[in-house]
Amino acid sequence: MCLTGRLRKFVLWSGILFAVSGWAASAPRRANPQPVQRSAGNAADVYPFLGVDWGGNTFVGAAVPFGMVKLGPDMVTFEGLHSGFGYWTDGEILGFSHLHLSGAQGKYGNIQFMPVTGALHLDDIASPRDQEINTVGYYSTRLTRYGIRAELTSTRRVGMHRYTFPAAEQAHFTVNLAACLGHGTGPEDQRFVGAEVHVTSNSTAEGVARFRGGWNEGGEYRVYFAIVLDTPAKSVQTWTGPHVPLQPVTGKGAFAVAPAQRLVATFSDAREAQVDSDTLIGVSFNYGTHAGQVIRAKVGVSFVSVAHAKENIAREIPNWDFDAVHRASVALWNRALSPVTLTGATADQRRKVYTAMYHTMLMPSDRTGENPDWTSNEPYYDDYYAIWDTFRSSGPWLTLVAPDRERDLIRSLIDIYRHTGWMPDARSGNDNGRTQGGSNANVMVADAWVKGLKGIDYATALQAMLKDANVPPANPQKEGRGGIEDYNTKGYITLKYERSGSRTVEYSYDDFAIGELACGLGHPKDAALFFSRANNWQNLWDPNLVEGGFKGVLRPKNPDGSWAAPYLVVRGTWPDFFYEGDYWTYSMYAPQDVRKLIEMSGGKQIFLRRLMTMFYRGHFDVTNEPGFLIPVLFNWAGQPDMTADVVTQLLEKYFTTSRAGIPGNDDSGAMSSWLLFQTIGFYPDAGQDFYLIGSPSLPDTSIRLGNGKVLRILVENLDDQGINHYVASATLNGKPWTRNWFRQSDIANGGTWVFHMSSAPTNWGTTNPPPSMSDPNALLCPFGSGTGAGKP
C-alpha cells in the first residue's frame, strides 16, 4: 500500500481495532447517487464511486479494461487541498486529465482539459459540479460555475470529450500541459520539467509534456498528445507563465496560489510555445457559443511520439460518434466481467462483486506498442503499482478469471527484465521502482507455474529470479533485493539495512517461490538451496521474547548478530524494521510453513489465542496488504469456524457499497480482489497451488475458467442476516469434501461445489490441515522435475 502524506484514523468496532486511512474532508455526507444511464450486462452493477473516500483512492472517470488512458476529473477541496489521485467527493473540478492511477496516488494527472466561459483567468478556473454520473466507460457532470455539461469516454489510448455549452460571448477550451497530480519538491512528488505545443489549425494541436518523480521516484516520462476538435475555434492562443506553484496550497485555481500572489500568464497568438523548466504552458481554443452548442474533442496519447498519438486517434476513434465509443467501452467491460455469473445475489452483493472485478482490471496499464525504450514483440504493461500489493490476491484472481491477461502481465515483466536487467516489484512512468519489500514478482511467476499457466518463458523468468536473489542492486528501492549481503551470508538482514524484518520474511517466501520454479524446471541444486533459504524467517524469531502476552516474536538483530531492542512501532515505513506493519502482523507471515509457525508460537491453542487477540484486541490492520492471509490462518489450526467468524465480520463492517466502501488504498485492485475471494468463499495462498475455504456468502456463483470450463459454487441454507456463515458440510462434484482447503487441480476442469451452511460450528474441516513445507513427506515439487504444469 502506497501511503503519501495521509492521515490515519482508528475505528473501534466489536472490540476490533482497525487502522483506517483517509482524509476527513472526503467522508461521505450524502446518499449514493444513482446512475442516470445504466448499461445492460454485469457492467450495469459497477459503481465506480465505491471506494473513492477515506483513502480508497479508486479511479473516477472513463477507461476500458487495463486501458492506458484513464480520463477523469482532477479536483481540489473547497479549502484548497489538491487530490493526490484526482478525485474528491467534496470540492471543485480543476480540469479533466488523461492519465490516472486507481487505488493509489502520486503519479500522472497529465494533459488537462478545462472548458470555461467568460474572461479567462488561469488562477481562478475551478468550478463546483452537480449532476455527476460515473458508469463504466462514461463520466458526466455539470460545471455549475459555467453551466457546461461535461461528458467523457475513452478507448485504450484515446480520450473523447463532449461538452454542451450555454450561450456565451466568450467560451474556451483550455489545455494545461504543466498539470500533474502531487506536484512538489518532496521525494515522492511529481515535477513538471518542460513541454512544447504546436497549434496546427484552429481545431488541432499537438506536442509533448515531460515529467519526472512521483511515488516511485521515477525518471522522466514524456506524454505526447494530439488534439482534434470537431468545431474550429474563432481564435487560438498559447500561453506561458511563471513558476508553477506547488501543491497543496491555499486557493482554488488550476494553479492554486496563495491569496497575496497573483498568477498572470502571458498569452500569445503564436502558434507554438515551449518551456524547459517548471513554468506554465498551455493553449486555449476560443469560441463564442450558442445555448446547447456541443463541441467534441479527441485526444490521442502516446509515450512514443506525436505520430503515434495521431495514429491512435485514427485507429481507435476515426469518427465523431461519442455514444458509439461509449457503447464499445461498455461491451469491453461486459466481456471482461462475464466470467463471473451471480444467481440469486442481492443488489448490494452484485454491486460489490462486479465493482471489485472492475477495480482489479483498471491496472496495470496496457501500453503494448507504446514503449519508448525498446521494441519488442512481447506485451508491454506499465503501472505495476505495486506487485507488493497485488501478488497476494489480484494475481491469483486474474489467473482464475482472466488467465490470458495474467500471462501477458508476467510476459511483460520478463521482457522488462530482458531490457532493464531486473524484474521489478513496481513500475510506473516507464521506470522501475519502488521495491517496498521482497522481490514479489517471484511469487507472481511461481503462482502462474503451479497453476498451469502456459505461454510464459519460465526459463528466463528463473534467470530473473536468481538475479534478484544473488545480485545486490545499485538502488535497492528501485529494484532487486536490498540487504542481501546480510541475508545471503547470515540468513537474515540486520539493522544495517532498512526494513530488515519485513524484508527477511518476504525474501524467505520469495526463495520458496524460486525453489518451486527451479525444481519444476529441473534444477535440483538451486531448488534445494532456495527451499533451505525459505526457512530464514525463523532466524529473526526470538523464542524467549514476550510481547503482547505471547512468547516468541520477530525481533531485530544488530550487525554483530546480537538481539536489538524489540521493535514495537505500530506501522513502520521505509527506514524502519517493519514496512507498513508491526510485529503482530509480520510474526504471522510464513505462507510457506504455517505448520512451523504454529509450533514456534507455542502450539495450536496458543497460536489460536494469539490470532484471536489480534482480531479482538485491536492488532489486525484491515487496511493494508501484509495481513491479507491472516484471517484464514485459523484453517491450519483446525478452526475454519474462526476463519468464518473473522471474515464475515470484516466483510460486513469494512467492505460496503458506499463511497467509503474500501477500508484502505485499493492499490490497483488488491483490496477488491481480497473481497472477491472471501465473498465467493475461498482464498489463495499466493505462489502455491491451493486455496483456503472460508465462508461462502453468495447463493449461486459460476466462474468461467480460462479453458472454458465452469466452476459453480452453490451455497445452501444461507440467511439474510449472515448468521449461517459456518460450513457444515461440502461436496465437490457430488463427493463429500471434508478438508478446509483444495488444490488448483481439483477445480482446473471446472466442477460444482455445494456448501451447506449452519448457524453453529461443526467438526467440518477440523482435520487434515492445509499444506506446509515442514509437513512430513511434504511434496515441494508436485509437478516433477522438468514437467511443470506451467511448462510452455
Side-chain angles (χ1 to χ4, degrees), residues 30-43:
R30 58 181 65 81
N32 297 327
Q34 296 301 312
V36 175
Q37 299 184 3
R38 290 184 59 82
S39 306
N42 294 339

Side-chain angles (χ1 to χ4, degrees), residues 208-284:
V208 61
R210 297 179 285 118
F211 308 87
R212 62 183 175 87
W215 176 83
N216 75 320
E217 299 183 3
E220 182 178 297
Y221 67 96
R222 299 185 177 193
V223 184
Y224 296 89
F225 63 91
I227 299 167
V228 183
L229 302 171
D230 71 345
T231 305
K234 287 185 175 180
S235 65
V236 184
Q237 293 176 296
T238 56
W239 36 269
T240 56
H243 180 77
V244 180
L246 307 181
Q247 304 169 2
V249 291
T250 302
K252 300 178 182 178
F255 314 102
V257 295
Q261 182 182 3
R262 182 69 177 175
L263 187 153
V264 179
T266 301
F267 286 82
S268 171
D269 293 329
R271 307 295 276 187
E272 59 184 40
Q274 180 174 343
V275 298
D276 293 302
S277 62
D278 199 1
T279 58
L280 306 182
I281 181 172
V283 60
S284 174

Side-chain angles (χ1 to χ4, degrees), residues 35 53 276 290 410 423 436 442 501 508 665 667 686 698 717 721 730 783:
D53 289 340
D276 293 302
H290 59 78
I410 294 173
M423 190 162 59
Q436 295 166 276
N442 300 170
S508 299
N665 293 169
D667 289 322
L698 299 169
N717 201 36
Q721 299 300 312
F783 304 113

Side-chain angles (χ1 to χ4, degrees), residues 162 232 339 467 698 720:
R162 182 166 68 186
K467 181 174 181 180
L698 299 169
D720 59 6

